[in-house]
Amino acid sequence: MAPALPYVTQVAIFSRFREAEPHPLTELEYTNAFTLLVAVALSAQATDVGVNKATKALFARVSTPQQMLDLGLDALTENIKTIGLFRQKAKNVIALSRILVEEYGGEVPQSRAALMTLPGVGRKTANVVLNSVFHFPAQAVDTHIFRVGNRTRIAPGRDVEAVERAIEDNVPVPFQQNAHHWLILHGRYVCQARRPRCKICPIEDLCPYEEKTE
């Protein structure tokens, strides 16, 4: 596997990302740590747009684990039925809400290990919450970041955890907090899977990807 881009190139790339979008945010809509945790858990195999449509009315009524338990499984299932795998996801959300109430005093824990013990919460979901709410420079690697990391050699790796480590190891510290947001947005809107939009890419001259599109 080819090595990651050198430090000076990383600085140049992320400086351009920062200039274009100084304060990148997740596109999931939420009101606090709990609603973001739920939204990210619901987003597995679903789009952010689809999750936002399903949770708009839900989060107007529910913003705490206890309120989610009071809402109940049937009502939650009805609220999110437009999302893929909604029945299992509803069960997970009720289960994790119960754990948060009973074991964490209704608060979302600020620990990756603790978050990953919750039903339906994997490493990526935990990292999104740690980064977006608790401002820890965790790297939530999804399919977009995996593709961009390898295609551009910003953070090459054979699996998502290897790419996560490559971001931590190679992206300069001043850019770590927002790195995964910039990479997601770049993969979602510019460096797309089937046909990357190289003509409008802000880092086209710094990217070693050989199969550039016209």
Side-chain angles (χ1 to χ4, degrees):
M1 177 170 289
L5 294 176
Y7 178 85
V8 291
T9 307
Q10 300 270 6
V11 170
I13 285 173
F14 282 95
S15 294
R16 293 183 191 180
F17 285 157
R18 182 171 62 186
E19 182 178 359
E21 182 57 74
H23 305 291
L25 301 171
T26 177
E27 294 186 319
L28 289 170
E29 296 172 0
Y30 65 99
T31 59
N32 58 19
F34 174 67
T35 54
L36 179 60
L37 176 64
V38 171
V40 182
L42 295 177
S43 71
Q45 301 183 47
T47 65
D48 288 359
V49 172
V51 172
N52 289 340
K53 287 181 179 178
T55 59
K56 184 175 182 179
L58 175 66
F59 291 162
R61 299 173 59 189
V62 172
S63 61
T64 69
Q66 186 59 58
Q67 288 175 346
M68 188 66 76
L69 293 177
D70 293 340
L71 179 68
L73 178 61
D74 291 344
L76 174 59
T77 303
E78 181 65 22
N79 270 267
I80 66 169
K81 65 182 180 181
T82 58
I83 300 174
L85 307 175
F86 66 95
R87 289 188 177 86
Q88 184 58 51
K89 289 178 180 179
K91 292 177 182 177
N92 287 341
V93 169
I94 292 296
L96 71 83
S97 298
R98 182 169 293 107
I99 293 171
L100 291 178
V101 169
E102 294 177 353
E103 299 183 19
Y104 297 98
E107 299 294 326
V108 175
Q110 299 183 38
S111 156
R112 182 186 289 119
L115 286 167
M116 289 178 63
T117 65
L118 300 173
V121 177
R123 189 177 183 90
K124 185 189 80 169
T125 297
N127 282 348
V128 171
V129 174
L130 291 173
N131 182 289
S132 296
V133 177
F134 300 123
H135 308 296
F136 181 80
Q139 308 301 330
V141 178
D142 66 355
T143 56
H144 294 300
I145 294 181
F146 183 79
R147 178 177 67 255
V148 172
N150 280 286
R151 183 182 277 172
T152 64
R153 289 189 15 228
I154 290 172
R158 297 189 184 280
D159 53 42
V160 293
E161 291 196 15
V163 170
E164 180 182 334
R165 290 193 298 272
I167 295 173
E168 294 170 347
D169 290 345
N170 295 289
V171 174
V173 168
F175 305 105
Q176 286 277 335
Q177 178 63 43
N178 292 317
H180 92 275
H181 290 299
W182 284 318
L183 293 172
I184 286 173
L185 294 172
H186 189 64
R188 186 171 289 168
Y189 298 111
V190 179
C191 196
Q192 296 170 337
R194 293 186 179 180
R195 188 172 177 82
R197 304 174 69 192
C198 298
K199 190 173 183 180
I200 66 166
C201 177
I203 62 168
E204 188 273 341
D205 59 314
L206 301 172
C207 173
Y209 183 59
E210 295 181 355
E211 299 175 32
K212 289 188 170 67
T213 56
E214 293 298 328

